[in-house]
Amino acid sequence: MRPPPAMTAARAAPTLAAAALALLWAGAGAAQELPVREVAPGVFVHEGAHEETAPGNGGDIANIGFVVGEDAVAVIDTGGSPAIGRRLRAAVESRTRKPVRYVVNTHMHPDHVFGNGAFPEAELVGHANLADALARRLETYKARLAEELGPEAAAGIGAPEVDVAVADRLRLDLGGRALEIQAFPTAHTNNDVTVLDPATGTLFTGDLLFVERVPAVDGSALGWLRAMDALAAQPAARVVPGHGPTLEGWPASLAAQRRYLDSLVTEVRQALKAGRGLSETVERAATAEGLGWALFETYHPRNVTAVYAELEWE
Amino acid sequence: MSGDPSSIRYRRGAAPFGALLLLTAAGAAAADPVEDERWELLRATYFADRAIEDAGQLLGLEAPKRAQDAAIVPLKVLLSPELRAKKLTLIVDDNPVPLAAAIDLGEASAPGALETRVRVNEYTNVRAVAETEDGRLLMTSRYIKAAGGCSAPALKDPAQSLARMGKMKMNLPDRIPAGSPVTAQLLISHPNNSGLQFDQVSRFFIPPHYIRSVSVSYNGKPVLEMTTDISISEDPNFQFSFVPEADGMLEVRAVDTKDKVFTESWPVKVAPAS
Ligand SMILES: [Zn+2]
């Protein structure tokens, strides 16, 4: 996607144009800067809440961030609403005047992509399956967001045009710093990518890793367990999960999620072996507790449903 | 630069669902006038001006109060023997194509439980309407709340579904007594693609591709004759009861909207009635 004329002008006269832009964005909605933390030099992360999208959080429920190179910025996920996207943009602009060259969507889920519209000048980078997967769900996601936050919150969200589709691996040059994008076979979803910043050893896992918040299976549990083996091989010093705090110590920080997915698969295999139907298996699962995951009661029954349908073909 | 920045970045996708969807109000209560009005429309479409009675105890419908996974919502219909049903219709009111399945119950079928899985787009009423041998229509309904957050009635892995298309599986109990009702579960791997989504690359709607009919028979006698549609989940799944009088073959023939025919059969060995 070509930058609109105003952005070309912005490069010619940075100070003035940046000020004008700031005014424009303020006018487009309350673009109050989203708080971000610099987890490594030039790597900024905003941590979303362990909640479902609700008026109190405005869709700010996933981790999003950005990496600043010598020439340009890459934004990694954009938040759960256009308003969160605008606030992320305000955070970028308060840290650097370099242009946002890329937006990477780690996968199709609305809490990660609905802020994309705040970065019209950037090239959108995502998994080769991203556009199709999101197109199949967009109307449902928009309707949900309208229910959760009101119709105006979902206004203007359209189908994304993925400019750079990643089927395997890709390097994104930011000037003196290149990010490595890796696409995965079906795991959390059928369109997961990770973003590695080799300069600092920071790995953005997207939702291939959940910390504290219960993992949600919207692809394949078995595929996800396999993806975690590949993930563990990534040379990272710290990881920014899709949800939960940034962690040092890799790949030990994968252990809790592996335990959860392993036990989920075991639980469903036992039910299938015992001839228990889907409804009964879900009902029993819904009463399980004590694993200490946030939102367990909301997502565990759904996970059991999805994994049941996956494993009955074994 | 002017206007809403998101309108620059995004182009609006065309509305992927049929006009019927416009009638729905998300989050509406079960007995709400909008829902009633919609049912009136559906009733007239599917049953013309025939009277439909409340089924009372004769017909049960089990469904989760809240859909967990919007793509896979189990529906279980309980048919009492006194009902003497010959046909069963499953309807998901607020889906783009509300008629999920129309099922003829054949001579080798047995009353009892009939279960399948549907996609649920919105908060919706789901209904089972049975037609009795003497031509009466009896109905029972349930209200289902949509799944929250990121759950959507979409295929999780279209590539895999396509690769496995047509594969079938039949789960039968270990011991099958002759002349008694037996519960079987049929799985058919198929994307059951709704075809409603917009293809960003081709700029056209993806054509629908789903299983449109499934016939189950035992030793040549019909068990079920089903007409199915896109409200049925991917990898269509049916649990049903039949009565094997003697050893024989349980046969399935499924046809999709590309006229591809999938057939498979399973030998059944009965144990002497005790
Ligand atoms: Zn996700």
Side-chain angles (χ1 to χ4, degrees):
Chain A
M1 186 166 176
R2 213 143 290 156
M7 293 311 298
T8 316
R11 281 183 195 125
T15 321
L16 258 180
L21 265 180
L23 277 174
L24 256 179
W25 290 112
Q32 189 202 350
E33 198 183 315
L34 208 58
V36 292
R37 189 165 73 86
E38 190 166 9
V39 299
V43 181
F44 297 86
V45 174
H46 170 78
E47 202 177 306
H50 288 325
E51 295 167 7
E52 292 281 61
T53 293
N57 57 46
D60 175 19
I61 62 164
N63 294 346
I64 56 184
F66 55 96
V67 179
V68 182
E70 282 171 18
D71 301 334
V73 178
V75 166
I76 298 149
D77 285 343
T78 57
S81 69
I84 298 297
R86 289 192 290 269
R87 294 186 57 195
L88 176 63
R89 185 179 184 104
V92 173
E93 287 171 353
S94 85
R95 303 283 170 154
T96 178
R97 290 192 179 139
K98 288 163 192 164
V100 176
R101 187 178 289 167
Y102 303 108
V103 166
V104 183
N105 283 160
T106 59
H107 64 295
M108 73 198 171
H109 281 147
D111 48 334
H112 298 260
V113 307
F114 269 4
N116 283 2
F119 304 93
E121 74 281 25
E123 298 220 348
L124 184 59
V125 181
H127 194 287
N129 290 336
L130 174 68
D132 175 73
L134 191 48
R136 291 168 189 264
R137 295 165 175 83
L138 190 65
E139 290 305 311
T140 303
Y141 287 171
K142 281 176 68 178
R144 298 270 160 77
L145 191 70
E147 278 166 30
E148 289 159 343
L149 301 182
E152 63 291 340
I157 299 173
E161 296 168 58
V162 176
D163 300 298
V164 184
V166 186
D168 182 18
R169 284 164 190 273
L170 182 85
R171 282 166 68 85
L172 292 182
D173 184 21
L174 302 177
R177 181 173 214 158
L179 302 182
E180 293 176 7
I181 315 298
Q182 186 180 345
F184 284 77
T186 303
H188 169 62
T189 66
N190 77 335
N191 54 96
D192 303 305
V193 302
T194 57
V195 182
L196 177 69
D197 173 42
T200 62
T202 306
L203 176 67
F204 288 79
T205 62
D207 280 359
L208 284 177
L209 177 61
F210 282 68
V211 176
E212 295 172 358
R213 182 185 176 114
V214 69
V217 181
D218 202 7
S220 155
L222 298 179
W224 199 346
L225 282 163
R226 284 191 294 272
M228 284 170 68
D229 295 334
L231 203 59
Q234 296 244 30
R238 75 187 59 75
V239 287
V240 181
H243 299 268
T246 296
L247 298 174
E248 312 287 327
W250 178 255
S253 35
L254 280 170
Q257 175 173 288
R258 185 180 291 283
R259 270 199 306 279
Y260 174 74
L261 291 174
D262 273 334
S263 72
L264 181 63
V265 167
T266 304
E267 179 181 346
V268 171
R269 278 199 180 124
Q270 280 168 354
L272 284 163
K273 205 168 171 210
R276 278 199 288 279
L278 172 57
S279 305
E280 191 192 345
T281 304
V282 173
E283 272 160 34
R284 287 184 180 218
T287 63
E289 56 189 336
L291 289 173
W293 291 99
L295 298 174
F296 182 82
E297 277 164 32
T298 307
Y299 283 89
H300 187 62
R302 180 180 307 168
N303 288 340
V304 171
T305 306
V307 174
Y308 189 101
E310 177 186 350
L311 296 183
E312 66 191 337
W313 285 93
E314 279 189 326
Chain B
M1 247 160 88
S2 64
D4 179 355
S6 55
S7 65
I8 299 168
R9 187 69 190 84
Y10 282 116
R11 63 171 164 247
R12 263 179 190 284
F17 297 137
L20 276 179
L21 195 66
L22 297 175
L23 289 168
T24 72
D32 141 314
V34 178
E35 295 285 333
D36 289 348
E37 197 181 307
R38 182 172 180 81
W39 170 238
E40 272 315 301
L41 184 79
L42 297 176
R43 196 190 57 73
T45 307
Y46 298 135
F47 303 101
D49 49 6
R50 297 176 65 188
I52 301 179
E53 305 162 51
D54 176 13
Q57 301 297 309
L58 294 173
L59 187 63
L61 179 59
E62 290 177 5
K65 282 198 180 66
R66 178 177 278 281
Q68 296 296 345
D69 185 326
I72 312 158
V73 180
L75 288 187
K76 187 177 195 174
V77 181
L78 300 155
L79 300 145
S80 103
E82 301 90 81
L83 181 65
R84 303 175 70 83
K86 64 171 185 183
K87 186 169 180 168
L88 183 71
T89 306
L90 296 177
I91 297 167
V92 185
D93 283 18
D94 292 303
N95 274 8
V97 180
L99 187 78
I103 305 165
D104 286 325
L105 303 161
E107 60 177 296
S109 77
L114 214 147
E115 192 170 346
T116 188
R117 298 171 193 169
V118 294
R119 298 180 167 122
V120 170
N121 276 65
E122 305 278 341
Y123 288 68
T124 183
N125 281 309
V126 292
R127 302 168 194 275
V129 180
E131 183 171 349
T132 62
E133 281 171 6
D134 53 5
R136 290 160 67 208
L137 294 175
L138 293 104
M139 177 171 80
T140 187
S141 65
R142 287 282 173 278
Y143 187 66
I144 299 181
K145 289 182 178 174
C150 59
S151 179
L155 280 161
K156 289 188 173 48
D157 192 344
Q160 190 206 37
S161 293
L162 218 52
R164 202 173 58 191
M165 189 171 75
K167 194 178 165 194
M168 288 192 214
K169 202 172 163 182
M170 183 74 78
N171 293 322
L172 287 161
D174 292 336
R175 188 178 179 281
I176 299 177
S180 301
V182 168
T183 300
Q185 183 198 23
L186 167 67
L187 292 77
I188 306 170
S189 193
H190 198 286
N192 235 41
N193 206 336
S194 66
L196 299 167
Q197 70 276 5
F198 191 67
D199 185 324
Q200 290 302 312
V201 182
S202 68
R203 313 287 301 147
F204 290 104
F205 286 100
I206 295 167
H209 184 203
Y210 59 90
I211 295 281
R212 63 177 169 83
S213 75
V214 182
S215 310
V216 183
S217 62
Y218 187 68
N219 279 349
K221 289 184 188 166
V223 179
L224 304 173
E225 294 280 346
M226 303 189 270
T227 306
T228 51
D229 214 304
I230 56 169
S231 283
I232 297 290
S233 301
E234 67 182 274
D235 296 340
N237 190 307
F238 304 95
Q239 216 171 74
F240 58 92
S241 300
F242 73 107
V243 182
E245 297 291 350
D247 290 354
M249 281 298 235
L250 188 59
E251 288 177 291
V252 173
R253 181 176 191 273
V255 184
D256 74 11
T257 48
K258 292 183 177 171
D259 290 329
K260 219 167 151 41
V261 178
F262 310 99
T263 55
E264 196 148 350
S265 53
W266 294 265
V268 172
K269 193 136 182 62
V270 300
S274 52

